[in-house]
Amino acid sequence: GAGVSQSPRYKVAKRGQDVALRCDPISGHVSLFWYQQALGQGPEFLTYFQNEAQLDKSGLPSDRFFAERPEGSVSTLKIQRTQQEDSAVYLCASSLRGVNNEQFFGPGTRLTVL
Amino acid sequence: SQQGEEDPQALSIQEGENATMNCSYKTSINNLQWYRQNSGRGLVHLILIRSNEREKHSGRLRVTLDTSKKSSSLLITASRAADTASYFCATDGDTGFQKLVFGTGTRLLVSP
């Protein structure tokens, strides 16, 4: 399909492990966002890319979180030394820059840290 | 932290009834959007209303916006079981045009 895809859909990690979550945005979308959604809550902004430039990373909760989008398309969110409080659904969204700001979301990756 | 809150937190109705959800936010905005999230799925964009608009319609959806009260409402008419989902409002806040700030969501259950 032509939508945003994310992989893996589910990830179980032991505390202290590193994880990498992948996002494939809609082709041609300039903007890419990562959000974190805790159980029963609304999504919370983590970081934003415009092409390959990370313009806003104010939502990243700690320096254990790192995101990249080296070629302005696929993005990876990496969490080092995972903690139990990192357990959440990680959502990726993309949008055409300057067009109504409608963001198209992927299905998310559900991360469980044991 | 969340931008605001949605009310009610949960709503249970019968098919055919109307469902109204309210959203309050904290800062000035350029636009407000409503999203739906089905269990186990990503967020689906429903409708966007700009800060200079007061009401907008899309099919069975009607959204109102009162910037003086920093509030919005989403009305779903003639609800269907397939409307069962969580509904979130999202604003672009006052930090720019890109980042979305979501409310806490309303969980809607429509029974056949």
Side-chain angles (χ1 to χ4, degrees), chain B residues 12-16 79-81 84 109-112:
Chain B
S12 183
I13 60 174
Q14 299 289 318
E15 266 191 329
S79 63
R80 307 166 181 167
T84 294
L109 173 63
V110 182
S111 300

PDB file of all heavy atoms in Angstrom, chain B residues 12-16 79-81 84 109-112:
ATOM      1  N   SER B  12     -20.751   5.575  25.929  1.00  0.00           N
ATOM      2  CA  SER B  12     -21.372   4.358  25.430  1.00  0.00           C
ATOM      3  C   SER B  12     -22.774   4.683  24.937  1.00  0.00           C
ATOM      4  O   SER B  12     -23.591   5.214  25.690  1.00  0.00           O
ATOM      5  CB  SER B  12     -21.430   3.307  26.539  1.00  0.00           C
ATOM      6  OG  SER B  12     -21.959   2.095  26.054  1.00  0.00           O
ATOM      7  N   ILE B  13     -23.055   4.382  23.658  1.00  0.00           N
ATOM      8  CA  ILE B  13     -24.357   4.703  23.063  1.00  0.00           C
ATOM      9  C   ILE B  13     -24.833   3.537  22.208  1.00  0.00           C
ATOM     10  O   ILE B  13     -24.088   2.577  21.960  1.00  0.00           O
ATOM     11  CB  ILE B  13     -24.276   5.982  22.201  1.00  0.00           C
ATOM     12  CG1 ILE B  13     -23.262   5.796  21.055  1.00  0.00           C
ATOM     13  CG2 ILE B  13     -23.938   7.188  23.046  1.00  0.00           C
ATOM     14  CD1 ILE B  13     -23.227   6.957  20.083  1.00  0.00           C
ATOM     15  N   GLN B  14     -26.079   3.646  21.738  1.00  0.00           N
ATOM     16  CA  GLN B  14     -26.659   2.646  20.840  1.00  0.00           C
ATOM     17  C   GLN B  14     -26.521   3.122  19.395  1.00  0.00           C
ATOM     18  O   GLN B  14     -26.459   4.342  19.124  1.00  0.00           O
ATOM     19  CB  GLN B  14     -28.134   2.442  21.169  1.00  0.00           C
ATOM     20  CG  GLN B  14     -28.387   1.942  22.584  1.00  0.00           C
ATOM     21  CD  GLN B  14     -27.946   0.509  22.770  1.00  0.00           C
ATOM     22  OE1 GLN B  14     -28.170  -0.332  21.908  1.00  0.00           O
ATOM     23  NE2 GLN B  14     -27.304   0.223  23.890  1.00  0.00           N
ATOM     24  N   GLU B  15     -26.472   2.170  18.505  1.00  0.00           N
ATOM     25  CA  GLU B  15     -26.444   2.516  17.075  1.00  0.00           C
ATOM     26  C   GLU B  15     -27.610   3.435  16.732  1.00  0.00           C
ATOM     27  O   GLU B  15     -28.721   3.247  17.216  1.00  0.00           O
ATOM     28  CB  GLU B  15     -26.546   1.244  16.222  1.00  0.00           C
ATOM     29  CG  GLU B  15     -25.215   0.691  15.798  1.00  0.00           C
ATOM     30  CD  GLU B  15     -25.322  -0.401  14.754  1.00  0.00           C
ATOM     31  OE1 GLU B  15     -26.328  -1.137  14.753  1.00  0.00           O
ATOM     32  OE2 GLU B  15     -24.396  -0.515  13.931  1.00  0.00           O
ATOM     33  N   GLY B  16     -27.320   4.411  15.900  1.00  0.00           N
ATOM     34  CA  GLY B  16     -28.353   5.347  15.483  1.00  0.00           C
ATOM     35  C   GLY B  16     -28.376   6.618  16.304  1.00  0.00           C
ATOM     36  O   GLY B  16     -28.879   7.655  15.841  1.00  0.00           O
ATOM     37  N   SER B  79     -24.823   7.193  14.652  1.00  0.00           N
ATOM     38  CA  SER B  79     -23.628   6.382  14.867  1.00  0.00           C
ATOM     39  C   SER B  79     -23.850   4.927  14.459  1.00  0.00           C
ATOM     40  O   SER B  79     -24.977   4.409  14.464  1.00  0.00           O
ATOM     41  CB  SER B  79     -23.207   6.456  16.333  1.00  0.00           C
ATOM     42  OG  SER B  79     -24.224   5.912  17.149  1.00  0.00           O
ATOM     43  N   ARG B  80     -22.717   4.288  14.137  1.00  0.00           N
ATOM     44  CA  ARG B  80     -22.693   2.890  13.728  1.00  0.00           C
ATOM     45  C   ARG B  80     -21.710   2.133  14.613  1.00  0.00           C
ATOM     46  O   ARG B  80     -20.808   2.742  15.190  1.00  0.00           O
ATOM     47  CB  ARG B  80     -22.244   2.772  12.267  1.00  0.00           C
ATOM     48  CG  ARG B  80     -23.046   3.623  11.304  1.00  0.00           C
ATOM     49  CD  ARG B  80     -22.352   3.728   9.968  1.00  0.00           C
ATOM     50  NE  ARG B  80     -23.097   4.571   9.031  1.00  0.00           N
ATOM     51  CZ  ARG B  80     -22.596   5.026   7.881  1.00  0.00           C
ATOM     52  NH1 ARG B  80     -21.361   4.700   7.522  1.00  0.00           N
ATOM     53  NH2 ARG B  80     -23.339   5.798   7.102  1.00  0.00           N
ATOM     54  N   ALA B  81     -21.865   0.832  14.683  1.00  0.00           N
ATOM     55  CA  ALA B  81     -20.941   0.023  15.484  1.00  0.00           C
ATOM     56  C   ALA B  81     -19.497   0.243  15.033  1.00  0.00           C
ATOM     57  O   ALA B  81     -18.565   0.225  15.845  1.00  0.00           O
ATOM     58  CB  ALA B  81     -21.311  -1.453  15.380  1.00  0.00           C
ATOM     59  N   THR B  84     -17.029   2.693  16.750  1.00  0.00           N
ATOM     60  CA  THR B  84     -16.366   2.366  18.010  1.00  0.00           C
ATOM     61  C   THR B  84     -14.873   2.550  17.868  1.00  0.00           C
ATOM     62  O   THR B  84     -14.237   1.926  17.018  1.00  0.00           O
ATOM     63  CB  THR B  84     -16.683   0.923  18.425  1.00  0.00           C
ATOM     64  OG1 THR B  84     -18.077   0.815  18.715  1.00  0.00           O
ATOM     65  CG2 THR B  84     -15.868   0.525  19.646  1.00  0.00           C
ATOM     66  N   LEU B 109     -17.963   3.748  22.523  1.00  0.00           N
ATOM     67  CA  LEU B 109     -18.469   2.393  22.276  1.00  0.00           C
ATOM     68  C   LEU B 109     -19.872   2.521  21.715  1.00  0.00           C
ATOM     69  O   LEU B 109     -20.752   3.090  22.372  1.00  0.00           O
ATOM     70  CB  LEU B 109     -18.470   1.565  23.551  1.00  0.00           C
ATOM     71  CG  LEU B 109     -19.130   0.178  23.455  1.00  0.00           C
ATOM     72  CD1 LEU B 109     -18.366  -0.704  22.466  1.00  0.00           C
ATOM     73  CD2 LEU B 109     -19.210  -0.505  24.814  1.00  0.00           C
ATOM     74  N   VAL B 110     -20.086   2.016  20.516  1.00  0.00           N
ATOM     75  CA  VAL B 110     -21.397   2.022  19.886  1.00  0.00           C
ATOM     76  C   VAL B 110     -21.898   0.588  19.823  1.00  0.00           C
ATOM     77  O   VAL B 110     -21.294  -0.263  19.160  1.00  0.00           O
ATOM     78  CB  VAL B 110     -21.353   2.630  18.476  1.00  0.00           C
ATOM     79  CG1 VAL B 110     -22.753   2.673  17.865  1.00  0.00           C
ATOM     80  CG2 VAL B 110     -20.736   4.021  18.506  1.00  0.00           C
ATOM     81  N   SER B 111     -22.985   0.338  20.512  1.00  0.00           N
ATOM     82  CA  SER B 111     -23.533  -1.030  20.577  1.00  0.00           C
ATOM     83  C   SER B 111     -24.631  -1.230  19.536  1.00  0.00           C
ATOM     84  O   SER B 111     -25.447  -0.328  19.323  1.00  0.00           O
ATOM     85  CB  SER B 111     -24.105  -1.287  21.970  1.00  0.00           C
ATOM     86  OG  SER B 111     -23.106  -1.141  22.944  1.00  0.00           O
ATOM     87  N   PRO B 112     -24.631  -2.397  18.909  1.00  0.00           N
ATOM     88  CA  PRO B 112     -25.656  -2.679  17.888  1.00  0.00           C
ATOM     89  C   PRO B 112     -27.063  -2.710  18.493  1.00  0.00           C
ATOM     90  O   PRO B 112     -27.226  -2.975  19.671  1.00  0.00           O
ATOM     91  CB  PRO B 112     -25.259  -4.057  17.351  1.00  0.00           C
ATOM     92  CG  PRO B 112     -23.867  -4.269  17.787  1.00  0.00           C
ATOM     93  CD  PRO B 112     -23.678  -3.485  19.045  1.00  0.00           C
TER      94      PRO B 112
END
